[in-house]
Amino acid sequence: MPEGLPTKKKAAFTLSEVLITLGIIGVVAAMTLPTVLNDIQDKQFKTAFKKQYSVIAQVVQKAYLEEGETPAPNKDWRQMPKYFCRMQKELNALKSGTICPDNIDDMSYEIGGWEGDTDWPSTGEYYWHKENEWFDKQGKPYFRNPAYSALAMLLPDGTLLQYICANQIFIDVNGYKKPNVIGRDIFYIIVNNNRITPTFLYESYGSNGSINGCSGSEYSVQITSRNYKQDCESGSGWGCSMLYLLD
């Protein structure tokens, strides 16, 4: 370049401009990252739920083929021991709230096989969340009938399974780990007579067909073919179970 001509300087960012830009990127990342991570986690929970649904459906069908019956809906909870013990064995449960005999075939489905709470063969360990340690999708602390506390088990992959209200099974695919929220990592399935199918409980059993209905009206929800999508999006979260199974 000839002497005396002005040189052309290259444009550059000042330090303050760089810091401001990095700050904006950090704020945007902080706002969007939790949503992205939750979406990824929810997809994993959904996949895990559908897998457990398939496995449990096979176990229930096997029990029916071997026994010729499964506990009828809305019956006395003392019908449950043999059925629960068979599920516990087939699912290779690591731990359970019920002590099962070596020979399950010697047990009976008859009501009164064990006379009331005091004779129930409980291990004294309850493998479900304590009251106020699990929540609906709106953040409300949840509760389940303690009469069914012994009908819960811990599976090898960490899944918690709670039999409730004689014909419902709660599943936490994430075990004791958070979030412990209905519709995210907690779901339900229905034992519909001799099998498990995607079932709208209210439409199958009428006024008795409420999810968690044996735990009181404050903690029960009626999920129907008309409201399950809305419930999943902005309600209790129980509707997500049907939404994912019918997806």
Side-chain angles (χ1 to χ4, degrees):
M1 180 179 293
E3 293 184 6
L5 293 178
T7 58
K8 188 175 182 180
K9 295 183 178 180
K10 294 182 179 180
F13 293 109
T14 65
L15 178 60
S16 61
E17 289 174 330
V18 172
L19 292 176
I20 291 172
T21 301
L22 291 176
I24 293 173
I25 293 173
V27 170
V28 173
M31 294 174 61
T32 59
L33 186 59
T35 300
V36 172
L37 293 177
N38 281 342
D39 288 344
I40 294 173
Q41 193 176 49
D42 285 347
K43 289 180 180 178
Q44 294 173 337
F45 292 154
K46 177 180 177 180
T47 299
F49 167 54
K50 296 176 83 169
K51 177 183 177 181
Q52 289 293 349
Y53 173 88
S54 177
V55 171
I56 294 172
Q58 293 179 44
V59 170
V60 169
Q61 185 66 15
K62 182 177 180 181
Y64 173 73
L65 292 174
E66 291 180 353
E67 299 294 334
E69 61 179 323
T70 55
N74 307 311
K75 296 292 185 179
D76 192 300
W77 57 268
R78 285 174 292 176
Q79 286 184 303
M80 296 303 303
K82 184 176 184 179
Y83 183 63
F84 182 80
C85 284
R86 189 171 293 283
M87 287 187 64
Q88 177 179 316
K89 178 181 178 181
E90 294 292 338
L91 292 171
N92 298 312
L94 293 180
K95 297 180 180 180
S96 170
T98 294
I99 301 172
C100 297
D102 293 334
N103 190 357
I104 299 175
D105 291 331
D106 290 340
M107 301 173 69
S108 171
Y109 279 126
E110 294 299 321
I111 294 176
W114 285 313
E115 296 298 333
D117 297 14
T118 56
D119 292 333
W120 187 280
S122 171
T123 63
E125 300 292 334
Y126 303 130
Y127 298 98
W128 189 254
H129 304 293
K130 296 179 181 178
E131 184 178 358
N132 299 326
E133 291 185 358
W134 56 305
F135 309 87
D136 71 8
K137 213 169 185 182
Q138 305 307 311
K140 172 186 172 182
Y142 230 68
F143 170 83
R144 60 96 174 92
N145 191 329
Y148 294 86
S149 294
L151 291 174
M153 65 180 82
L154 173 66
L155 302 185
D157 63 358
T159 296
L160 295 177
L161 187 152
Q162 169 73 69
Y163 219 112
I164 192 80
C165 303
N167 65 342
Q168 303 168 34
I169 300 175
F170 292 169
I171 303 170
D172 189 330
V173 298
N174 202 36
Y176 290 114
K177 299 177 183 178
K178 294 181 179 180
N180 301 329
V181 171
I182 297 167
R184 291 203 61 205
D185 58 342
I186 296 177
F187 306 93
Y188 81 92
I189 55 179
I190 300 299
V191 180
N192 186 21
N193 296 323
N194 62 354
R195 64 190 185 280
I196 288 179
T197 57
T199 303
F200 295 104
L201 190 63
Y202 179 75
E203 293 170 1
S204 297
Y205 303 119
S207 59
N208 291 321
S210 296
I211 308 304
N212 202 33
C214 60
S215 301
S217 58
E218 182 181 355
Y219 299 99
S220 65
V221 179
Q222 293 178 345
I223 300 298
T224 72
S225 58
R226 297 180 297 277
N227 72 358
Y228 73 100
K229 292 182 180 180
Q230 181 179 354
D231 181 86
C232 181
E233 294 172 358
S234 58
S236 69
W238 286 123
C240 295
S241 300
M242 288 299 100
L243 181 64
Y244 294 162
L245 292 177
L246 297 173
D247 185 6

